[in-house]
Amino acid sequence: MAYSWFKAFHIIGVVVWFAGLFYLVRLFIYHIEAEQEPEPAKTILQKQYQIMEKRLYNIITTPGMLVTVACAVGLLVSQPDWLHQTWLHVKLGFVVVLLGYHHYCKRLMKQLEAGTCKWTSKQMRALNEAPTLLLVAIVLLAVFKNSLPTDTTVWVIFGLVVLMAVTIQLYARKRRLDKEKELAQVASTQQLQA
Ligand code: HEM
């Protein structure tokens, strides 16, 4: 019975943790893009994003991570046999990477606050895809365990990486074209007024 409770809250923790991680880096993207806004919009937007990022990290993302890990410990204490299984060792490897990503997000948040973050919004968009790959790999391992079809999994992850890269490039192109159109419109309005 305790095992089922731990498992249910382990999954709830995962959902909350990932919701936080995905939204946090999306806020970083908006935070970086606010740099191009004229004053006072730039300062107002960046201050607001700082508040949202801190609250999201402290109230949603980190508690989600703590619930996931605490319930995972509960699962392993209730059923220690899992500790001898290869799928769990591989899963733990990915979880360590995920914890590193979580910690790195805090570093990026501090850099954005200090104005020392060197990432462009396009690079940040690519970074935001990293947890998707970890999510897919970890969930597939948790569900299939030692019978995970590794060939298909590698293809699925490779397909996802290609899809994400293409989407990011196409979106960057669309933004560039929109910006050019906007500038051309401003220029033609100024010519008409002159
Ligand atoms: C903190 C390290 C973690 C440990 C030690 C751990 C361990 C476990 C264990 C022992 C189970 C029970 C397996 C079963 O009863 O079938 C489980 C289930 C599950 N875990 Fe984790 N887990 C960890 C982190 C994660 C993370 C980060 C995710 C998501 C990205 C995740 C997703 C899942 C899912 C979806 C299940 C349910 C699988 C099913 O019922 O078929 N786990 N985990």
Side-chain angles (χ1 to χ4, degrees):
M1 188 67 166
Y3 188 84
S4 299
W5 280 104
F6 283 131
K7 191 148 123 178
F9 277 90
H10 180 60
I11 296 171
I12 291 165
V14 165
V15 173
V16 174
W17 187 11
F18 273 82
L21 285 177
F22 285 131
Y23 190 36
L24 187 64
V25 180
R26 180 118 301 264
L27 285 176
F28 292 167
I29 295 168
Y30 299 145
H31 195 142
I32 293 168
E33 287 175 354
E35 193 63 41
Q36 288 153 13
E37 296 295 327
E39 288 293 3
K42 177 179 146 179
T43 310
I44 295 170
L45 282 170
Q46 289 190 332
K47 284 255 168 312
Q48 186 58 35
Y49 288 135
Q50 264 165 37
I51 295 169
M52 290 167 76
E53 287 156 9
K54 267 191 199 157
R55 287 188 185 158
L56 181 64
Y57 187 85
N58 293 328
I59 302 173
I60 309 277
T61 318
T62 300
M65 180 268 282
L66 291 174
V67 170
T68 304
V69 174
C71 291
V73 172
L75 284 168
L76 296 179
V77 170
S78 318
Q79 215 159 292
D81 284 355
W82 289 130
L83 284 166
H84 305 292
Q85 302 220 355
T86 312
W87 71 270
L88 185 77
H89 303 158
V90 180
K91 180 176 165 175
L92 282 175
F94 285 121
V95 175
V96 169
V97 179
L98 187 64
L99 288 168
Y101 178 84
H102 181 105
H103 182 72
Y104 189 62
C105 283
K106 185 171 190 183
R107 233 169 95 181
L108 285 173
M109 193 168 76
K110 286 188 174 161
Q111 287 178 1
L112 280 164
E113 188 175 5
T116 57
C117 182
K118 299 274 183 291
W119 287 71
T120 63
S121 64
K122 190 175 166 191
Q123 287 169 335
M124 204 56 96
R125 276 195 171 83
L127 182 75
N128 206 14
E129 303 304 340
T132 311
L133 300 176
L134 290 169
L135 177 67
V136 172
I138 294 172
V139 171
L140 288 179
L141 277 164
V143 173
F144 286 96
K145 302 193 170 52
N146 285 341
S147 52
L148 178 74
T150 36
D151 285 5
T152 317
T153 306
V154 168
W155 279 111
V156 166
I157 292 184
F158 177 72
L160 270 174
V161 171
V162 172
L163 185 74
M164 288 164 179
V166 170
T167 311
I168 290 170
Q169 291 302 332
L170 286 178
Y171 186 69
R173 188 166 169 265
K174 182 186 176 301
R175 275 173 58 85
R176 203 182 55 241
L177 291 176
D178 287 351
K179 190 98 198 150
E180 281 169 12
K181 220 186 275 176
E182 201 182 300
L183 288 174
Q185 265 172 3
V186 172
S188 72
T189 315
Q190 282 171 347
Q191 265 178 1
L192 283 174
Q193 283 169 347

